[in-house]
Amino acid sequence: PAVAAVLPAGGSGERMGVPTPKQFCPILERPLISYTLQALERVCWIKDIVVAVTGENMEAMKRIIQKYQHQRISLVEAGVTRHRSIFNGLKALAEDQPDSKLSKPEVVIIHDAVRPFVEEDVLLKVVTAAKEHGAAGAIRPLVSTVISPSADGCLDHSLERARHRASEMPQAFLFDVIYEAYQQCSDYDLEFGTECLQLALKYGHINAKLVEGSPDLWKVTYKRDLYAAESIIKERIS
Ligand code: CTP
Ligand code: MG
């Protein structure tokens, strides 16, 4: 069965606090997104990789694809929110345009461009589980306890850490389920919704299977994460 991947890469990386969006920041002289693309390309059963980038960065992205000889990549315009970027990627896969080399997959993987250390085993696990349940996502044990503050900035309640998990990426979905969910969902969902899994559940009448992922699935967010990513890459090369 055909599997495709959609990579949202249209953010500006505000929390990183540098002018270059983090997906284009160099690690050992190579842009971060190039490592993520390489990790997905290594997986021969992923047929198409659709990357959502802003118009402003489209040319830079094309140069990266050429320079590092990335394969099976199609580019689409990012949206103003992550969900809108993902939706644009799904649209490109859904629409049977005569001039498009893309075809609708049975299962789609959604993965952030800024999580370069995704490996084949977790991709296979989420895809296999998505085929069975409709949706699946990688999770991790919580590092910090999650608390809910009240309006006046005091503690309202805390969640029991051992009973909760952090939702990470990759996630995978039956294509028709997630595409239908994105078509149904409100502007509010597209602006403020954080979780593709939650959207799929809300509109898709399916189950979302949770799959334990490795600690290296974390998302490059702050500047220090670039240093952490660099040391992981060095460790893997040596
Ligand atoms: N993303 C996207 N389109 C947007 C916003 C985010 O495709 N409009 C992508 C980012 O490029 C990233 C992924 O979604 O690959 C995860 O988002 P996040 O870590 O929040 O990245 P940024 O939004 O760029 O960072 P920040 O929130 O710090 O500004
Ligand atoms: Mg963001």
Side-chain angles (χ1 to χ4, degrees), residues 30 33 38 55-56 60 66 94 104 127-128 159 219 224:
R30 183 180 177 134
I33 190 169
Q38 199 182 40
E56 194 184 353
Q66 279 215 317
K104 197 178 84 161
V127 166
T128 307
L159 300 183
K219 182 163 62 96
R224 64 186 162 82

Side-chain angles (χ1 to χ4, degrees), residues 87-100:
F87 195 9
N88 288 352
L90 296 175
K91 281 181 196 158
L93 286 166
E95 286 159 13
D96 279 328
Q97 290 153 352
D99 57 337
S100 168

Side-chain angles (χ1 to χ4, degrees), residues 65-227:
I65 289 172
Q66 279 215 317
K67 179 165 180 191
Y68 298 100
Q69 296 177 7
H70 290 302
Q71 310 286 322
R72 292 174 271 153
I73 314 279
S74 301
L75 300 181
V76 297
E77 280 263 353
V80 292
T81 64
R82 178 171 175 275
H83 276 311
R84 291 192 189 279
S85 295
I86 293 168
F87 195 9
N88 288 352
L90 296 175
K91 281 181 196 158
L93 286 166
E95 286 159 13
D96 279 328
Q97 290 153 352
D99 57 337
S100 168
K101 57 184 168 59
L102 298 172
S103 51
K104 197 178 84 161
E106 182 193 352
V107 175
V108 62
I109 293 166
I110 298 177
H111 186 67
D112 290 322
V114 291
R115 297 179 191 256
F117 304 117
V118 60
E119 297 203 329
E120 180 161 1
D121 67 332
V122 73
L123 290 164
L124 185 60
K125 278 186 205 159
V126 291
V127 166
T128 307
K131 273 189 220 162
E132 188 182 339
H133 301 274
I139 54 164
R140 290 289 305 156
L142 286 176
V143 175
S144 307
T145 298
V146 175
I147 61 167
S148 184
S150 62
D152 59 354
C154 294
L155 176 65
D156 185 334
H157 65 277
S158 4
L159 300 183
E160 195 184 329
R161 195 175 64 188
R163 286 165 44 85
H164 292 83
R165 296 290 179 274
S167 176
E168 308 283 350
M169 289 272 149
Q171 295 177 350
F173 304 86
L174 289 175
F175 183 84
D176 289 337
V177 167
I178 191 71
Y179 189 51
E180 176 73 17
Y182 270 96
Q183 284 173 309
Q184 300 259 315
C185 74
S186 62
D187 279 346
Y188 185 88
D189 289 326
L190 289 173
E191 298 303 320
F192 301 107
T194 54
E195 262 284 308
C196 305
L197 285 180
Q198 199 66 56
L199 279 187
L201 280 190
K202 189 168 166 188
Y203 297 102
H205 314 292
I206 41 118
N207 282 320
K209 182 74 178 169
L210 304 178
V211 169
E212 195 73 38
S214 87
D216 290 351
L217 283 180
W218 108 109
K219 182 163 62 96
V220 171
T221 303
Y222 298 102
K223 201 166 172 189
R224 64 186 162 82
D225 294 327
L226 287 177
Y227 304 119

Side-chain angles (χ1 to χ4, degrees), residues 11-15 22 82 219:
S12 56
E14 266 174 51
R15 284 169 288 179
K22 58 191 176 179
R82 178 171 175 275
K219 182 163 62 96

